[in-house]
């Protein structure tokens, strides 16, 4: 069955520093992969998605993610973090041939130090 | 345009009471999803509606949970005889038809959620 693992529950980075959030997936075929962000009191917002093609995907707010099939990973990166990036980040994959429902990782909470 | 809206934003209820949560999807979105997010957890799928097809109820945790959707509009999630373990944020999302014309999944747009607290 499809699954998503986000190994880091909480990460703290300094403002201006680079960021990498890890996501590992288990999927039977070439996966569709998503990163969502949830700011306090807000719903989830899609940051970026991978379906096929170029393995480096650009998203909103300066985020990017790289699909690495050999490592079953889809890590999220940002070269320079801003204080407003503090939020919870979720990686997700579709549940397979079961409609559009998504399977989410446990989430990584990002704190940003001034 | 308007996004997905949910009401109420917060709901506090006593154990054993029934609650009804409402979701207004984006106009024209044929797919609608309910997810549950317990404190410190990821999202758990509950139920999925796609057009006139039978809903996928595979994520509902017990028969105390049910949901309805009228056509391609409003959906309500009902929890009967609430228990403390039902306390969570309930999120609704909608999308255009699941698979886009060029393949791939259409983006799910999420509402702000309803925070349910069962005392």
């Amino acid at each position: 069955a499809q699954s998503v693992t986000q190994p880091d529950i909480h990460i703290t980075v300094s403002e201006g520093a680079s960021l990498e959030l890890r996501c590992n997936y288990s999927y039977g075929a070439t996966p569709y992969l998503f990163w969502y962000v949830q700011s306090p009191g807000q719903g989830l917002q899609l940051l970026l998605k991978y379906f096929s093609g170029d393995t480096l995907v650009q998203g909103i707010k300066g985020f990017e993610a790289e699909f690495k099939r050999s490592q079953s990973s889809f890590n999220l990166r940002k070269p320079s973090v801003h204080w407003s990036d503090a939020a919870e980040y979720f990686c997700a994959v579709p549940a397979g041939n079961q409609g559009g429902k998504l399977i989410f990782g446990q989430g990584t909470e990002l704190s940003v130090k001034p | 345009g308007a996004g997905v809206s949910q009401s109420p934003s917060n709901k506090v209820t006593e154990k054993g009471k029934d609650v009804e949560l409402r979701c207004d999807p984006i106009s024209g979105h044929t797919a609608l999803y309910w997810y549950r997010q317990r404190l410190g957890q990821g999202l758990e799928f509950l139920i999925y509606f796609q057009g006139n097809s039978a809903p996928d109820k595979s994520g509902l945790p017990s028969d105390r949970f049910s949901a309805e959707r009228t056509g391609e509009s409003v959906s309500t999630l009902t929890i009967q005889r609430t228990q403390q373990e039902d306390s969570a944020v309930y999120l609704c999302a909608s999308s255009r038809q699941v698979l886009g014309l060029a393949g791939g999944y259409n983006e799910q747009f999420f509402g702000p959620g309803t925070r349910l607290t069962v005392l």
Side-chain angles (χ1 to χ4, degrees):
Chain A
Q2 288 78 7
S3 66
V4 178
T5 303
Q6 293 181 246
D8 305 305
I9 296 174
H10 188 204
I11 285 181
T12 299
V13 299
S14 298
E15 190 168 14
S18 63
L19 170 70
E20 182 168 28
L21 302 182
R22 295 184 291 166
C23 172
N24 294 98
Y25 65 90
S26 171
Y27 198 88
T30 300
Y32 299 127
L33 293 154
F34 305 85
W35 274 101
Y36 281 86
V37 60
Q38 185 179 35
S39 299
Q42 305 286 315
L44 274 72
Q45 181 182 22
L46 182 68
L47 281 176
L48 48 78
K49 59 188 177 186
Y50 172 79
F51 288 159
S52 65
D54 193 345
T55 56
L56 185 62
V57 180
Q58 301 297 319
I60 61 170
K61 304 184 180 186
F63 285 91
E64 66 178 27
E66 186 171 12
F67 169 59
K68 292 186 177 180
R69 183 189 302 277
S70 61
Q71 298 177 20
S72 297
S73 70
F74 188 57
N75 294 349
L76 182 71
R77 301 194 296 243
K78 186 169 184 177
S80 177
V81 169
H82 187 262
W83 64 267
S84 61
D85 293 324
E88 186 125 28
Y89 292 80
F90 294 95
C91 184
V93 296
N97 296 326
Q98 300 177 48
K101 64 186 179 185
L102 296 174
I103 297 173
F104 286 84
Q106 294 292 85
T108 298
E109 183 179 357
L110 173 65
S111 297
V112 180
K113 293 189 300 186
Chain B
V4 177
S5 61
Q6 293 185 247
S7 60
S9 55
N10 281 284
K11 176 72 176 178
V12 180
T13 190
E14 294 179 347
K15 179 181 172 180
K17 299 282 190 183
D18 297 352
V19 295
E20 193 171 276
L21 312 180
R22 176 186 170 107
C23 172
D24 284 88
I26 294 172
S27 176
H29 280 191
T30 59
L32 186 146
Y33 311 80
W34 284 97
Y35 294 88
R36 177 172 71 176
Q37 184 178 23
R38 289 173 160 158
L39 187 63
Q41 305 286 314
L43 278 72
E44 304 169 71
F45 165 78
L46 296 177
I47 188 169
Y48 155 61
F49 297 90
Q50 170 63 60
N52 294 320
S53 302
D56 176 353
K57 304 179 181 180
S58 60
L60 294 179
S62 77
D63 59 8
R64 296 186 295 105
F65 288 72
S66 63
E68 293 184 348
R69 186 181 187 194
T70 305
E72 295 182 355
S73 61
V74 171
S75 175
T76 56
L77 176 69
T78 301
I79 309 173
Q80 295 178 310
R81 305 182 302 282
T82 52
Q83 304 294 312
Q84 288 183 332
E85 64 260 27
D86 299 333
S87 295
V89 176
Y90 290 82
L91 289 161
C92 175
S94 71
S95 74
R96 296 194 300 270
Q97 63 185 22
V98 172
L99 292 177
L101 293 176
Y105 283 81
N106 280 314
E107 177 182 351
Q108 293 183 27
F109 293 82
F110 283 80
T114 293
R115 181 175 299 278
L116 175 65
T117 303
V118 182
L119 302 176

